[in-house]
Amino acid sequence: MNVQHKKPSVLICSDDANFYVMLAYILAREGFQTTLVSESEVADQATIRPVTAIILIAAEDSGPMLRACAAIKGSDTTAHIPTIAVVSSGDYLALLKAGADENFVRPISPARLLAYLGSLPKDDANDVRLPDADEEARTFGPLSIDPGRRIVRYGDQETRFGPIEFNLLRCFLKAPGRVRRRSELIEAAWPSDHYVQPRTVDVHVGRLRRSLERLTGRTLIRTVRAAGYAIEVDERSG
């Protein structure tokens, strides 16, 4: 049976209509469908349609995009959606701390943005993505991961992680207890053509740690001073 696939949908939140028109044109040529949304409606719009990614365009006042990002990442329904911020250099860390999965400093390279979007799974309800042979679901005591859907389960609860946090978790779980240096985590979680600052790794590991704490009620990721991070899980019943 042939399956009709919809174009991957991208929500763009921007006060700059001209910038949106330019970006929408570039994305349309590459097969993306774009929708312009406001700060106040972006989180709600992301709950009523399959969305591949959300792009936040921060103007001189980054406050609206910070609020939009916090709303997206603060909801269990939308927190898993990759959220990209296009920012000035001064807003880089602020958007990361608010939950953005990736930041591009203006002026941006369309090729880099398209490469990042192309690397994301398309959240089309008609798409069935099976994990590779070496990416089957794995269990670590009460904790289990489903790589095909980026689902993490703990007991009878589950949550879906963003792509960077899930890749970090997979890296940690390849060898629980082993200390992972930032360079290893960068290689595991980001495309090879991305320059990633150590501080960016710390922000995403912190976000992963908090997500796991909410899910499990425990602190699973520990910081090893001057070395990196490690995860501690109980595999005895896995």
Side-chain angles (χ1 to χ4, degrees), residues 8-27:
S9 176
V10 177
L11 299 183
I12 300 178
C13 183
S14 174
D15 292 331
D16 187 338
N18 291 331
F19 193 94
Y20 166 74
V21 170
M22 179 194 72
L23 192 56
Y25 174 76
I26 293 171
L27 295 180

Side-chain angles (χ1 to χ4, degrees), residues 100-102 116 150 161-169 189-190 204:
D101 296 291
E102 182 62 272
Y116 182 79
R150 299 199 312 270
F161 282 20
I164 292 178
E165 280 70 35
F166 192 84
N167 284 338
L168 289 172
L169 180 59
W190 280 270
H204 282 283

Side-chain angles (χ1 to χ4, degrees), residues 112-161:
R112 285 190 61 205
L113 177 60
L114 289 170
Y116 182 79
L117 289 172
S119 72
L120 298 175
K122 297 172 180 59
D123 285 336
D124 186 336
N126 295 322
D127 254 348
V128 179
R129 299 186 307 276
L130 298 177
D132 295 336
D134 61 344
E135 288 190 299
E136 296 178 352
R138 300 179 62 194
T139 300
F140 307 83
L143 183 74
S144 66
I145 64 171
D146 179 353
R149 295 188 296 153
R150 299 199 312 270
I151 294 290
V152 180
R153 298 184 180 88
Y154 186 80
D156 59 357
Q157 299 185 68
E158 68 176 39
T159 187
R160 190 178 185 198
F161 282 20

Side-chain angles (χ1 to χ4, degrees), residues 7-157:
K7 292 182 178 181
S9 176
V10 177
L11 299 183
I12 300 178
C13 183
S14 174
D15 292 331
D16 187 338
N18 291 331
F19 193 94
Y20 166 74
V21 170
M22 179 194 72
L23 192 56
Y25 174 76
I26 293 171
L27 295 180
R29 287 176 59 90
E30 297 298 323
F32 291 92
Q33 175 182 321
T34 61
T35 303
L36 178 64
V37 294
S38 68
E39 168 217 337
S40 61
E41 66 183 358
V42 59
D44 289 338
Q45 286 294 314
T47 66
I48 62 177
R49 68 181 76 186
V51 175
T52 296
I54 299 171
I55 300 177
L56 306 176
I57 312 296
E60 291 184 5
D61 177 11
S62 62
M65 295 307 114
L66 288 169
R67 292 190 292 271
C69 193
I72 294 163
K73 295 303 179 180
S75 168
D76 291 340
T77 307
T78 57
H80 70 279
I81 301 174
T83 302
I84 304 159
V86 180
V87 298
S88 64
S89 58
D91 296 323
Y92 187 90
L93 279 180
L95 266 298
L96 269 181
K97 290 178 179 178
D101 296 291
E102 182 62 272
N103 279 357
F104 290 91
V105 177
R106 301 177 74 167
I108 65 171
S109 162
R112 285 190 61 205
L113 177 60
L114 289 170
Y116 182 79
L117 289 172
S119 72
L120 298 175
K122 297 172 180 59
D123 285 336
D124 186 336
N126 295 322
D127 254 348
V128 179
R129 299 186 307 276
L130 298 177
D132 295 336
D134 61 344
E135 288 190 299
E136 296 178 352
R138 300 179 62 194
T139 300
F140 307 83
L143 183 74
S144 66
I145 64 171
D146 179 353
R149 295 188 296 153
R150 299 199 312 270
I151 294 290
V152 180
R153 298 184 180 88
Y154 186 80
D156 59 357
Q157 299 185 68

